[in-house]
Amino acid sequence: MEITELYKIFSEHPVVTTDSRDCPEGSLFFALKGASFDGNKFAAMALDKGCAYAVVDEAEYAPEGDARYILCDDCLATLKQLALYHRRTLATPIIGITGTNGKTTTKELTAAVLQQKYNVLYTQGNFNNDIGVPKTLLRLRPEHEIAVVEMGASHPGDIKALVDVVEPDYAIITNVGRAHLQGFGSFEGVIHTKGELYDFMRANHGLGNTDNGKTLREGKAPQSCVFIDSENPYLNGIAQGLNLVRYGCKADDQLWVSGHVDSCSPMLNFTWRHNDGATLGAPHATQTHLIGEYNITNMLAAVSIGLYFGVPADSIVKALSAYVPSNNRSQFEQTADNRLIVDAYNANPTSMAAALRNFADIDAKGKMVIIGDMKELGEVSHDEHQRIVDQLRQMTLDQVWLVGSEFEGCDTPSGFRLFDNVEKVKEAIAAAKPHGKYILIKGSNGTRLFQLPELL
């Protein structure tokens, strides 16, 4: 079936599902395959549960004469083709976001800011891979005025494959760090892969009129551009030939938005100012519900994007002040017994070191850390975990609990406790629950430390 024919069907049945357990009435089922499952085997079940059509790529699962089955060569490739066709048909302006750390938080903050003025579609949760991204695009509707699409990567070429489907008009790489090194091969591999977003922008939206302030003052639609942390040397090193809109914390006339941290004990409070190219705007003090000074760059990114698209300054402050994280990222929780900083969705050497520096700066008694393995670091895993142990040695902490096999070979002080897994930690909490502590909980999602807050 030609993609134009499939698109006609999608137009009449615009809800897409890839899960036979979730089949809204009249939806379109794509029979995707994984390492341990074959969606083709569930196509009939999906139709029985309410799907109007099932897209399959194995002929034996498409009964002859039954028009509800649509046979293609590759279901995932067809899903991407359909998403791209839909994206081009609607031509909704899209902001593409990637980065080692902060991309999900920046996506959430940016969406919150833009929603003050626009009808915004944005990536839900962490649906940022080769399945989640096309499904996000297929949620676009004519009423959406702008979209914010997050893209993740763990191997070379991942971002290129996604941008070729998203075709973003605007872009931001939050940062690059030492994560997924097992898949990327090296830190340089991380930079190259994240930079594939810049490559697309350079090829399709290269240098033009860079007086973006003038464009906005004349009431014209903003031209395509890249939002960039002006102080990140790795991003600046690969940003040649792009329309850049800069933000940062150092005084610089070239910055679209500048800011500084006012306090972080533990919530981040900061002040930002806008430079429209003619005058330096008034300072805007903003109180947030996010923990960690490192989040100021995520905040400034959202401010920059909001101002670029004409969101009023007071509305930006309102949106950022109201945003409360709910995804195990930089969350503060007060329990009956302890105060918790929960950052247990993911961890890599860059984000772990930043979280520990921030925790060290908090003026509090009874500080304790529960730190989990950092996954997918390959041959450098031992050295990176030892660096974290060495950083912990320099901190004033009541207790240090290390969780996972990656810490077992490290040279750890006798006072540090080692646990094989989160279940052992649960047993320790049940035996002697910490009380009156200020606890940082951080580790890769696979260590499942997100199960601990309800016990503490």
Side-chain angles (χ1 to χ4, degrees):
M1 178 179 287
E2 295 293 330
I3 197 66
T4 52
E5 296 179 73
L6 180 58
Y7 190 68
K8 290 179 182 178
I9 293 174
F10 168 74
S11 298
E12 297 172 357
H13 304 275
V15 177
V16 167
T17 180
T18 58
D19 188 346
S20 61
R21 297 165 297 182
D22 179 21
C23 297
E25 190 68 28
S27 58
L28 189 58
F29 175 74
F30 277 79
L32 303 183
K33 296 176 181 175
S36 59
F37 67 91
D38 182 352
N40 288 275
K41 296 179 180 179
F42 301 96
M45 180 187 299
L47 292 171
D48 289 341
K49 287 186 174 182
C51 290
Y53 291 89
V55 181
V56 298
D57 54 15
E58 294 182 15
E60 64 179 289
Y61 294 101
E64 188 174 350
D66 192 333
R68 298 177 303 165
Y69 292 87
I70 300 171
L71 183 62
C72 68
D73 293 330
D74 184 307
C75 283
L76 181 56
T78 301
L79 178 69
K80 293 178 180 179
Q81 291 169 8
L82 180 64
L84 176 59
Y85 193 93
H86 182 54
R87 183 264 179 278
R88 289 178 173 176
T89 299
L90 293 184
T92 308
I94 294 179
I95 303 167
I97 295 181
T98 191
T100 302
N101 304 304
K103 59 182 175 293
T104 299
T105 299
T106 300
K107 175 258 300 181
E108 297 280 337
L109 294 171
T110 298
V113 166
L114 292 175
Q115 283 176 326
Q116 297 291 310
K117 182 176 180 179
Y118 301 98
N119 186 330
V120 183
L121 174 82
Y122 61 100
T123 302
Q124 296 298 303
N126 65 330
F127 281 19
N128 60 15
N129 61 12
D130 59 347
I131 297 173
V133 166
K135 289 179 70 175
T136 295
L137 294 175
L138 289 169
R139 289 174 41 233
L140 275 170
R141 298 293 177 262
E143 59 267 27
H144 289 126
E145 298 170 285
I146 194 167
V148 184
V149 179
E150 178 184 339
M151 295 172 285
S154 55
H155 298 87
D158 282 355
I159 295 300
K160 182 183 187 308
L162 294 177
V163 296
D164 285 346
V165 176
V166 176
E167 294 188 343
D169 304 286
Y170 309 88
I172 177 171
I173 303 175
T174 55
N175 55 38
V176 288
R178 299 177 66 80
H180 300 294
L181 296 180
Q182 188 171 14
F184 288 121
S186 65
F187 180 48
E188 289 70 25
V190 177
I191 298 173
H192 177 79
T193 301
K194 301 298 183 183
E196 290 166 354
L197 177 55
Y198 282 1
D199 293 340
F200 176 88
M201 295 298 293
R202 198 164 14 243
N204 294 275
H205 308 293
L207 284 172
N209 171 25
T210 56
D211 186 359
N212 299 312
K214 181 175 183 293
T215 301
L216 289 176
R217 289 192 296 273
E218 292 177 350
K220 300 176 182 177
Q223 70 177 86
S224 296
C225 66
V226 168
F227 300 92
I228 186 170
D229 177 359
S230 189
E231 294 153 39
N232 189 301
Y234 304 113
L235 297 181
N236 280 282
I238 59 174
Q240 298 82 5
L242 295 168
N243 289 319
L244 299 177
V245 175
R246 297 181 175 276
Y247 58 89
C249 293
K250 294 181 179 178
D252 187 338
D253 291 341
Q254 298 300 312
L255 296 182
W256 176 251
V257 171
S258 60
H260 63 265
V261 174
D262 295 323
S263 62
C264 193
S265 57
M267 304 302 184
L268 170 65
N269 297 321
F270 74 107
T271 297
W272 59 270
R273 303 180 77 167
H274 172 219
N275 181 359
D276 67 2
T279 59
L280 183 62
H284 298 277
T286 307
Q287 298 181 341
T288 83
H289 294 280
L290 280 178
I291 290 174
E293 289 191 9
Y294 48 84
N295 272 307
I296 189 171
T297 54
N298 302 328
M299 290 284 177
L300 294 179
V303 171
S304 299
I305 295 171
L307 288 172
Y308 195 74
F309 285 95
V311 180
D314 57 347
S315 296
I316 293 174
V317 172
K318 175 184 175 182
L320 297 182
S321 298
Y323 175 75
V324 179
S326 59
N327 49 16
N328 290 312
R329 289 179 169 92
S330 301
Q331 290 175 231
F332 177 79
E333 296 185 21
Q334 176 78 61
T335 71
D337 299 293
N338 301 289
R339 290 176 291 173
L340 312 177
I341 295 177
V342 184
D343 197 1
Y345 183 80
N346 214 340
N348 56 61
T350 304
S351 66
M352 184 71 80
L356 291 177
R357 285 196 299 271
N358 183 77
F359 193 55
D361 290 339
I362 294 176
D363 184 13
K365 295 180 180 179
K367 290 200 287 188
M368 170 183 179
V369 298
I370 304 177
I371 301 297
D373 280 349
M374 301 176 291
K375 303 292 188 180
E376 300 180 39
L377 295 180
E379 62 184 19
V380 302
S381 183
H382 172 76
D383 290 344
E384 295 295 350
H385 282 84
Q386 184 62 58
R387 287 192 181 94
I388 296 303
V389 169
D390 293 341
Q391 185 175 357
L392 288 166
R393 288 176 187 267
Q394 305 303 314
M395 298 172 62
T396 302
L397 300 166
D398 282 6
Q399 296 185 54
V400 175
W401 292 8
L402 304 177
V403 187
S405 59
E406 299 294 339
F407 284 108
E408 289 181 357
C410 294
D411 177 18
T412 56
S414 58
F416 288 17
R417 296 186 64 180
L418 297 175
F419 298 86
D420 292 337
N421 51 55
V422 72
E423 297 304 321
K424 297 294 185 181
V425 179
K426 291 178 182 179
E427 293 175 8
I429 294 173
K433 182 178 180 179
H435 180 79
K437 300 297 183 183
Y438 205 133
I439 308 174
L440 170 65
I441 304 172
K442 186 169 179 62
S444 288
N445 198 45
T447 60
R448 310 188 73 78
L449 298 189
F450 56 81
Q451 298 177 358
L452 299 180
E454 64 182 19
L455 306 178
L456 293 166

